[in-house]
Each structure stands twice: as C-alpha cells, then as structure tokens.
C-alpha cells in the first residue's frame, strides 16, 4: 500500500552547532519530520539540542536576562566556561559558540562570545531583516549607518517604507540587541530624545519565534503530584512541557475537545498504561489527575480511578509525552529525551504508532533514545509503507578517543527501512549478550 503524500509545514529543517561542549567544530544534522538521535552515553547527543533550549528559555523569560539565560528550566548552566568547547587543556578552550537553524528554507544564526570584560555577548546575528532581502545578512553591534546602508542597498530599493524614512537627516540605520538576537532598526532623533524603530521581519527565518514554540520533555519528567496548577498556553509552553499536562487535559475537557480526549484514551490504553485519564478541577488554581487503576476497562469499573501519584511511574512519566504529541500544532517541534523510560518493551514498540500519528498531523519530532526496539518499530513502519523513509533521519553520535570531539554518522534509510552500515551497538550488543548467555548455559550443562 503506497503512502499518501504528507502535507509540508514550515519548521526546523536542520541544526548546526559549533563551539559548544564536545561539538568543537561545526556539526550539522538534518531534521526532517522525524529525527532520531542515538549513541553511547556522553557522546554529545544532548549537546546538539541544548543550545536551542538555551535560546528557548531566554526568549521565554519574563524579563530580559541578557544574551542568554544560562540557568533556567530547560538547561541549567552556571558559567559560560561549562559550555565552551575545549581540547586537551584549558588553554585550548574556544572563545565563542554558534547556533544555526534552517527554518522553512532560510538560515538564521546567532554567534556568542566573551567581550573584553569576560561577559557573554551576541557577537553576530545572521537572518532576514527586511522584506526586500533575498539572502540572509550578518550584522554586529556597533555597525555604522553607512555600513548598514551598503549591506541593505538592494533590500531598501524594494521597500518604500524604510527607504523613504531614511531620506530624513535625523534618521539612521542601527543595530540593537533583543535578547539573543540582533535587530536592524531605524534610529529616530528628535531633539535630545532618541528612539529605535525595529524593521519587521517578513518571510524570513525567525529564531526567537521558532525556538519559543519547541515543546521540550526531558528524560526525567518530575515526580507525580497530588495536584497540579491550572495552566495551558496553546501553541507555546515556556519551560518543560510536563508542568502543563494536567492543565491541558482539563482545558480539553472544559472546551469540548472530545477528539483529543478520545485519542488520549486510545493512546494510553494502547501502551498498556491505563484505560482512562481524567482531570478534576479542585479550585480555581488546582487540578487533580485521575487515571484508571487497571490497564483496560472492565464491566462496572467506570469510576475505578485513582490519583496519578498512586500508580506506577510508567503512567506519570509517559502521560506528558502522549499529551505533547497530541497538543503540538502542525510544523511545531516536539523534543523528547528518552521517551522510552519506564516503558515495557512491548509499549516501546507501540509508542512508534503514536509518533507516526503525530507525524501525519504535520508535527515535527526529535527523539533522543537508547531504545533499539523503538528504532526497529520505525523501520518496520517504513517497510510497511506506513511511514516514508525520507521523512526520517537516524543520527548516531560517538566521541573521538583521541580528541573527545563528537562525531556524527547519519544513516540513509532505504524504502524497506534498512539503514545499511551502522556503528557497532544496539543489535550487536543484544546479540552479543545472547551469545554470552548461551555459551555460559552450555558450559554449565556440560559440567553437570
């Protein structure tokens, strides 16, 4: 059976990082609708995504924390020295790092470095700043009006608004910092007062907007609580997503989103976790999450519900993942760290079906995993034509034994789901352990 053509939605199409932890030299990965990141421990898997999370918690902050909020809900860092790449000695530490995304075919890049006083600053920012631009332009703080006019000559010719405004003697082009971005604006002088009118971005890659919409679920998704705060922000979820789970389920119940609730029930039952999930409003600020005590419904058990804190960790750790996949909008990126934690092997296989249903709605998913079963389930769906091979990227992370730098191998999937040569691990480890057991059992039998 041939797969139907999946509609294309704008989103993050590739990620390139340089100078961050073990990613000393520029490393880029493609991020099609489904991106799977795998590899041994401490190989740099998290390092490819952490810079994006730094940007997210910076733009999500209620105040301007400066170029980057280092210590936040998504990433906790106390010093820039902890993230700048280094070699064999501290003296070989790099002095800057950069984050580059391709968003809907356009590239945007932020580069960070220390100033003379040792403080972090936005060294460069590359993006589309004006509607008339055909290619991204790189700007720096302190650029003069004449330099900026030369950079944007072609764009100014295509846009009457800034071009006409800049004919006035009291107006100049300038660069101003806006959290982790640099924006081009028109400086307006009137007497002793001075104001900057930012030039709007039209149709170009926007780092701030894209990273703020990332749904992030870390590997440890908090201990289950007796009550949760009422909170739901559709489309944008500052911090980690697990804090919104109860609020979103309550919102779906109160607003007649029966299709979401019905699919949630099917998903958690398919995973063998519970047959029902219900949010009970306790007061204006608190919600209680109730789940079915048994994995499947039984006759007369309609109210056989318990608080989520009274069931196994599998439910409380997996429910936020299921809700995230259902809550995400087309084109929105969901980043899942080890979603298989606390899932039975059979549930890990079934989880791939939940992922595929989200993909068919246009959601973009990045999974960091150690589960060979999940990867095998994805391959199986490709072989069955339930998923397209070119909609999936498998990136394997290792570290050089000589330099400690991350190395990334990308598997090319064939239409039958095979990925050819793959760095030794996963299946080889499993087969090796099976062989070791059989050898030991045969030796024991022979000695009896």
């Amino acid at each position: 059976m041939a797969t139907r053509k999946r509609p294309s939605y704008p989103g993050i199409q590739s990620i390139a990082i340089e100078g961050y932890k073990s990613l000393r030299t520029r490393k880029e990965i493609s991020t099609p609708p489904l991106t799977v990141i795998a590899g041994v421990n401490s190989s740099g898997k998290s390092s490819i995504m952490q810079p994006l999370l730094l940007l997210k918690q910076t733009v999500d902050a209620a105040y301007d924390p400066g170029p980057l909020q280092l210590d936040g809900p998504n990433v906790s860092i106390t010093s820039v020295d902890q993230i700048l790449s280094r070699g064999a000695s501290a003296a070989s530490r790099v002095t800057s790092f950069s984050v580059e995304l391709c968003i809907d075919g356009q590239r945007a890049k932020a580069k960070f470095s220390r100033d003379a006083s040792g403080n972090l600053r936005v060294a460069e920012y590359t993006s589309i700043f004006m509607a008339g631009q055909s290619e991204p332009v790189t700007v720096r703080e302190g650029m003069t009006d004449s330099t900026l006019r030369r950079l944007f000559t072609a764009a100014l010719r295509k846009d009457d608004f800034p071009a006409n405004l800049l004919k006035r003697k009291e107006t100049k082009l300038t660069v101003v910092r806006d959290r982790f971005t640099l924006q081009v604006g028109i400086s307006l002088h009137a007497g002793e007062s001075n104001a900057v009118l930012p030039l709007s971005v039209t149709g170009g890659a926007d780092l701030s907007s894209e990273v703020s919409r990332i749904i992030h679920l870390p590997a440890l998704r908090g201990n289950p609580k007796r009550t949760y705060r009422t909170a739901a922000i559709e489309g944008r979820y500052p911090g980690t997503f697990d804090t919104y789970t109860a609020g979103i389920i309550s919102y779906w119940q109160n607003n007649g989103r029966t299709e979401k609730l019905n699919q949630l029930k099917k998903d958690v039952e398919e995973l063998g976790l519970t047959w029902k999930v219900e949010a009970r409003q306790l007061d204006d600020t608190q919600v209680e999450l109730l789940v079915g005590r048994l994995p499947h419904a039984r006759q007369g058990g309609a109210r056989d519900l318990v608080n989520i804190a009274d069931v196994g960790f599998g439910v409380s750790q997996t429910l936020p993942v299921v809700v995230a996949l259902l809550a995400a909008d087309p084109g929105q990126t969901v980043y899942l760290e080890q979603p298989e934690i606390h899932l039975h092997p059979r549930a890990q296989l079934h989880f791939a079906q939940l992922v595929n249903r989200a993909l068919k709605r246009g959601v973009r998913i990045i999974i960091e995993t150690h589960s060979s079963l999940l990867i095998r389930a994805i391959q199986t769906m490709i072989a069955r034509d339930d998923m397209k091979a070119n909609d999936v990227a498998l990136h394997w992370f290792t570290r050089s034994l000589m330099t400690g730098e991350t190395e990334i191998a990308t598997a090319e999937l064939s239409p039958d789901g095979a990925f050819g040569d793959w760095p030794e691990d996963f299946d080889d480890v499993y087969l090796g352990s099976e062989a070791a057991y059989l050898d030991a059992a045969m030796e024991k039998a022979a000695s009896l």
Side-chain angles (χ1 to χ4, degrees):
M1 180 182 68
T3 54
R4 290 182 298 175
K5 183 175 177 60
R6 181 171 296 152
S8 176
Y9 297 95
I12 301 173
Q13 296 165 330
S14 70
I15 301 168
I17 308 296
E18 181 176 0
Y20 189 91
K21 294 188 177 182
S22 60
L23 306 173
R24 184 182 179 92
T25 58
R26 186 179 183 277
K27 296 292 188 299
E28 182 172 8
I29 62 169
S30 60
T31 53
L34 176 58
T35 303
V36 179
I37 297 173
V40 296
N41 296 109
S42 300
S43 59
K45 300 187 299 297
S46 298
S47 296
I48 199 78
M49 291 299 297
Q50 275 187 4
L52 276 70
L53 299 180
L54 281 173
L55 302 189
K56 173 179 170 58
Q57 67 190 25
T58 301
V59 75
D60 285 346
Y63 61 94
D64 183 357
L68 283 178
Q69 180 174 340
L70 296 179
D71 189 9
N74 302 96
V75 183
S76 181
I77 294 165
T78 56
S79 169
V80 178
D81 289 336
Q82 295 167 7
I83 60 178
L84 292 176
S85 300
R86 55 173 291 178
S89 65
S92 62
R93 190 185 306 277
V94 301
T95 58
S96 65
F97 78 94
S98 64
V99 185
E100 181 180 351
L101 303 182
C102 180
I103 304 167
D104 196 22
Q106 293 282 0
R107 290 188 173 269
K109 177 180 177 181
K111 182 177 180 180
F112 304 89
S113 66
R114 290 186 181 277
D115 60 20
S117 302
N119 298 316
L120 188 69
R121 68 185 184 92
V122 185
E124 295 179 353
Y125 191 70
T126 304
S127 186
I128 298 287
F129 298 95
M130 301 182 195
Q133 275 182 255
S134 57
E135 296 292 336
V137 170
T138 299
V139 299
R140 304 171 188 83
E141 282 188 293
M143 277 185 162
T144 64
D145 172 67
S146 58
T147 300
L148 291 169
R149 287 180 189 245
R150 284 196 300 271
L151 273 177
F152 294 102
T153 297
L156 289 170
R157 286 174 181 163
K158 297 177 183 178
D159 197 327
D160 291 337
F161 168 69
N164 291 335
L165 193 57
L166 287 168
K167 291 177 181 177
R168 299 166 58 179
K169 292 182 179 180
E170 65 271 21
T171 60
K172 296 181 182 296
L173 281 178
T174 187
V175 176
V176 293
R177 183 186 65 82
D178 182 8
R179 303 202 182 199
F180 60 77
T181 72
L182 297 178
Q183 298 297 325
V184 177
I186 296 178
S187 179
L188 307 172
H189 297 274
E192 295 183 358
S193 63
N194 182 37
V196 176
L197 175 66
L199 296 175
S200 61
V201 175
T202 305
D206 184 356
L207 278 185
S208 294
S209 175
E210 198 64 39
V211 299
S212 71
R213 296 177 68 246
I214 291 175
I215 291 177
H216 173 220
L217 275 164
L220 297 178
R221 297 176 272 278
N223 291 321
K225 298 179 181 180
R226 293 284 169 185
T227 61
Y228 295 85
R229 289 188 178 274
T230 302
I233 306 173
E234 284 200 304
R236 186 170 174 269
Y237 305 95
T240 58
F241 184 83
D242 46 289
T243 59
Y244 300 94
T245 305
I248 289 174
I249 295 173
S250 178
Y251 174 85
W252 289 344
Q253 290 177 183
N254 295 334
N255 290 272
R257 302 296 298 273
T258 54
E259 78 285 358
K260 296 287 188 184
L261 295 169
N262 289 338
Q263 190 60 57
L264 173 61
K265 177 183 179 299
K266 291 177 183 178
D267 289 347
V268 293
E269 190 167 16
E270 184 177 346
L271 294 176
L273 298 174
T274 183
W275 66 275
K276 188 173 184 178
V277 180
E278 182 180 298
R280 179 183 295 168
Q281 194 80 35
L282 300 179
D283 53 37
D284 290 341
T285 63
Q286 298 292 316
V287 175
E288 180 185 21
L289 265 184
L290 302 174
V291 298
R293 188 173 58 85
L294 300 176
H296 303 286
R298 63 179 177 82
Q299 188 173 3
R303 303 309 304 168
D304 189 10
L305 305 178
V306 297
N307 189 286
I308 195 170
D310 296 323
V311 295
F313 258 55
V315 178
S316 62
Q317 291 292 299
T318 307
L319 185 60
V321 177
V322 178
V323 173
L325 293 175
L326 290 172
D329 294 325
Q332 190 164 18
T333 297
V334 179
Y335 171 41
L336 306 174
E337 297 185 60
Q338 299 176 42
E340 72 274 8
I341 287 181
H342 298 291
L343 280 181
H344 184 276
R346 187 181 296 108
Q348 293 181 36
L349 289 172
H350 284 298
F351 179 71
Q353 298 290 343
L354 277 65
V355 169
N356 197 32
R357 284 196 283 269
L359 293 177
K360 289 178 178 178
R361 291 195 300 107
V363 178
R364 305 182 77 88
I365 304 170
I366 300 175
I367 297 176
E368 180 188 325
T369 184
H370 290 286
S371 174
S372 58
L373 288 172
L374 176 56
I375 292 177
R376 184 67 79 210
I378 292 168
Q379 291 179 269
T380 302
M381 285 191 292
I382 293 173
R384 290 175 176 168
D385 286 334
D386 291 333
M387 188 183 292
K388 294 167 58 178
N390 58 7
D391 279 346
V392 183
L394 297 179
H395 302 295
W396 182 266
F397 284 56
T398 57
R399 288 185 75 174
S400 167
L401 297 178
M402 297 295 294
T403 65
E405 186 173 339
T406 291
E407 298 173 346
I408 305 173
T410 298
E412 298 292 335
L413 284 110
S414 64
D416 63 1
F419 47 64
D421 293 335
W422 189 250
E424 183 180 354
D425 206 85
F426 277 56
D427 288 343
D428 290 335
V429 171
Y430 174 77
L431 292 174
S433 67
E434 285 288 293
Y437 165 70
L438 291 174
D439 289 345
M442 290 175 65
E443 290 177 7
K444 174 66 68 72
S447 66
L448 295 179

